[in-house]
């Protein structure tokens, strides 16, 4: 609101500064406008009143303007710029080229134009709800309830709904919309793969053993329009769907089948879920069992069974190795029996290992057979043949 000073005059001098105007009225009726300067006025009957207004970038009261326009339309047109918006219209008012006010529908504002340049840009918001980049820059500092703004990231899909109806899919970037007379909503969906953790689900196997299973699913939105139209909450819906799938799969298997056929169980779960999400615009890329948690007593029994299987397997391997070693010794014995030279080499090899462990050997050649006896009689793998 403009600042003003009121003078009740008898005889006085009024000084109107640059950037000011004075409205001089006689008995409540506008008589004239006082421009900047010194004005000497005489009012012996006390009929004159002067009101001084600051006119630089300020507004004039709309109710006073209506009265002034009715009495002196010529002065009203000369001094003021009146801006009035219609039902589906907003206006951006610029003072000396600088956007200052954003006017909403059914508003009236009156500006002094004697010292300030007034520019008004009217925008029909009924045709296109989008706010242009130029207008958005003009109203950024003075944005009001007539606009809404959103930013769509590169990894997102933005769906624009006007009055509940899908209008278009928005490209990544900044978007603003006029909300005058309409409801604007932008739904943003993340297109990146998302992990959905299905926490421990308690269930019974075919052989009536209770267990808990945790799963992990990876999903991504491939058709945002269809997803929004069919699924209110993607993750909650997928969570329930996997719950049903794992319960059905476990209920038809024994504990041994659940523990031993994990790959087949994962494949069955993926097929079950993918068949049901095909029409929702969501793709399940991976789905599998992460953990199978058994009750304490069942876990102890399974551990004992596993330990017994490992012991039995180790015993079998040891017996197989013993059998192979015995068979190898038997084959060696047969070769040496059939080949005396091979037998002699084996004897010398044994003699060599024996000599390595003896610190000293004394040979007595009294009978002339000391060295020969050492070589021929010390180590014998086969008894000498009788003459």
């Amino acid at each position: 609101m403009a600042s003003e000073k009121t003078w009740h005059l008898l005889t006085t001098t009024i000084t109107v500064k640059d950037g000011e105007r004075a409205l001089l009225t006689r008995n409540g009726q506008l008589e004239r406008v006082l421009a900047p300067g010194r004005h000497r006025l005489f009012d012996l009957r006390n009929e004159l009143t002067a009101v001084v207004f600051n006119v630089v970038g300020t507004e004039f009261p709309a109710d006073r303007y209506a009265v002034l326009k009715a009495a002196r339309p010529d002065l009203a047109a000369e001094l003021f710029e009146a801006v009035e918006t219609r039902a589906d219209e907003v206006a951006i008012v610029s003072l000396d080229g600088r956007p200052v006010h954003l006017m909403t529908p059914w508003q009236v504002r009156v500006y002094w134009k004697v010292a300030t340049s007034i520019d008004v840009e009217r925008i029909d918001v009924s045709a296109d709800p989008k706010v242009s980049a130029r207008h958005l820059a003009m109203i950024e500092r003075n944005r009001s309830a007539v606009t809404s703004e959103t930013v769509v990231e590169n990894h997102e899909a933005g769906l624009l709904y006007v009055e509940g109806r899908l209008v278009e899919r928005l490209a990544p970037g900044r978007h603003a919309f006029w909300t005058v007379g309409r409801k604007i909503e932008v739904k943003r969906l993340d297109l990146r793969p998302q992990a959905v953790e299905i926490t421990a689900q308690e269930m019974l196997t075919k052989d009536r053993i209770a267990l808990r299973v945790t799963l992990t699913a990876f999903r991504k939105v491939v058709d945002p329009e269809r997803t929004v139209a069919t699924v209110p909450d993607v993750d909650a819906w997928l969570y329930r769907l996997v719950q049903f799938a794992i319960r059905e799969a476990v209920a038809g298997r024994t504990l041994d089948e659940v523990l031993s056929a994990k790959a087949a169980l994962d494949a069955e779960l993926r097929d079950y879920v993918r068949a049901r999400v095909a029409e929702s615009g969501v793709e399940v890329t991976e789905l599998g069992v992460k953990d199978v948690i058994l009750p304490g007593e069942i876990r102890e029994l399974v551990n004992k069974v596993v330990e017994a299987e490992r012991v039995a397997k180790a015993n079998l391997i040891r017996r197989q190795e013993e059998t192979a070693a015995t068979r190898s010794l038997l084959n060696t014995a047969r070769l040496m029996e059939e080949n005396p030279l091979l037998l002699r080499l084996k004897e010398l090899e044994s003699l060599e290992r024996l000599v390595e462990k003896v610190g000293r050997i004394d040979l007595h050649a009294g009978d002339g057979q000391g060295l020969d006896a050492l070589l021929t009689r010390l180590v014998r793998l086969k008894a000498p043949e009788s003459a």
Side-chain angles (χ1 to χ4, degrees):
M1 184 64 64
S3 62
E4 57 184 66
K5 296 182 291 185
T6 303
W7 303 75
H8 295 283
L9 308 173
L10 293 175
T11 302
T12 187
T13 300
I14 299 177
T15 301
V16 180
K17 302 177 183 178
D18 288 338
E20 292 180 342
R21 292 294 186 276
L23 298 184
L24 185 64
T25 60
R26 182 182 298 276
N27 295 326
Q29 294 183 346
L30 180 64
E31 186 166 286
R32 60 193 174 100
V33 177
L34 303 180
R38 294 174 62 85
H39 303 271
R40 187 173 180 82
L41 302 172
F42 299 94
D43 184 16
L44 300 179
R45 297 181 182 181
N46 195 22
E47 296 175 342
L48 296 178
T49 301
V51 181
V52 179
F53 292 89
N54 179 14
V55 298
V56 179
T58 58
E59 295 183 52
F60 187 76
D63 54 347
R64 290 191 181 183
Y65 171 78
V67 174
L68 177 63
K69 182 179 179 182
R72 296 288 302 276
D74 55 333
L75 280 179
E78 178 185 349
L79 300 176
F80 304 106
E81 179 74 33
V83 183
E84 183 175 357
T85 54
R86 296 188 297 273
D88 295 323
E89 185 180 63
V90 297
I92 300 175
V93 180
S94 299
L95 305 181
D96 291 333
R98 182 172 60 90
V100 174
H101 295 134
L102 173 64
M103 295 179 57
T104 58
W106 299 121
Q107 256 193 324
V108 178
R109 282 188 169 181
V110 180
Y111 299 90
W112 289 93
K113 66 178 182 179
V114 293
T116 305
S117 173
I118 309 296
D119 295 314
V120 180
E121 182 168 359
R122 299 177 182 274
I123 305 168
D124 184 0
V125 297
S126 61
D128 188 358
K130 290 185 179 181
V131 181
S132 66
R134 185 174 68 86
H135 290 153
L136 186 62
M138 294 173 69
I139 66 175
E140 182 149 7
R141 295 183 181 178
N142 301 284
R143 191 173 307 128
S144 65
V146 300
T147 62
S148 66
E149 182 180 337
T150 188
V151 176
V152 179
E153 304 290 345
N154 284 327
H155 58 270
E156 293 179 330
L159 304 181
L160 174 62
Y161 287 81
V162 179
E163 299 292 350
R165 181 175 61 87
L166 177 61
V167 175
E168 65 173 300
R169 178 173 174 176
L170 303 175
R174 179 186 180 193
H175 303 272
F177 307 94
W178 301 109
T179 58
V180 176
R182 62 169 66 90
K183 179 183 177 182
I184 298 289
E185 183 181 7
V186 177
K187 296 182 180 180
R188 295 160 51 194
L189 284 80
D190 197 326
L191 302 181
R192 296 174 296 184
Q194 302 288 321
V196 180
E197 298 292 338
I198 294 86
T199 55
Q201 306 295 312
E202 295 187 2
M203 58 199 72
L204 292 176
T205 62
K206 186 178 181 179
D207 47 359
R208 311 300 295 175
I209 296 178
L211 52 80
R212 290 187 298 164
V213 180
T214 61
L215 306 96
T216 300
F218 289 90
R219 60 85 178 163
K220 65 178 180 179
V221 176
V222 294
D223 190 340
E225 292 84 351
R226 181 178 295 181
T227 299
V228 172
T230 57
V231 183
D233 187 333
V234 174
D235 289 345
W237 174 69
L238 182 60
Y239 188 99
R240 300 301 180 193
L241 192 59
V242 174
Q243 274 187 321
F244 294 143
I246 188 61
R247 288 183 183 278
E248 181 177 334
V250 170
R253 288 177 167 84
T254 64
L255 177 61
D256 290 340
E257 291 172 343
V258 172
L259 297 178
S260 62
K262 183 177 178 298
L265 181 61
D266 291 348
E268 181 179 328
L269 292 175
R270 284 194 295 270
D271 293 342
Y272 179 95
V273 173
R274 286 172 177 171
R276 285 158 178 78
V277 303
E279 300 300 322
S280 64
V282 178
E283 179 183 352
V284 177
T285 57
E286 292 294 337
L287 173 61
V289 175
K290 186 167 64 173
D291 295 306
V292 177
I293 305 171
L294 302 174
E297 62 276 7
I298 300 297
R299 186 166 58 250
E300 292 179 1
L301 291 175
V302 171
N303 290 336
K304 290 179 180 179
V305 171
V306 172
E307 183 179 359
E309 290 177 350
R310 290 178 179 175
V311 171
K313 187 175 181 179
N315 290 335
L316 177 61
I317 293 174
R318 184 166 58 252
R319 293 190 188 98
Q320 290 175 347
E321 291 179 349
E322 291 175 352
T323 301
T326 302
R327 185 178 295 110
S328 177
L329 288 175
L330 178 60
N331 293 335
T332 302
R334 288 175 179 173
L335 288 174
M336 290 190 296
E337 184 179 8
E338 296 172 359
N339 194 331
L341 180 58
L342 180 60
L343 176 63
R344 185 55 180 161
L345 289 174
K346 194 67 175 177
E347 291 175 345
L348 292 176
E349 180 181 338
S350 300
L351 177 61
E352 180 182 7
R353 288 197 297 269
L354 178 62
V355 171
E356 288 177 353
K357 299 179 180 180
V358 176
R360 177 179 176 181
I361 299 178
D362 294 330
L363 299 178
H364 301 280
D367 54 1
Q369 297 181 357
L371 182 59
D372 183 64
L374 176 65
L375 296 175
T376 59
R377 299 179 183 177
L378 183 60
V379 177
R380 299 294 294 273
L381 298 179
K382 181 178 180 182
E385 296 179 0
S386 59

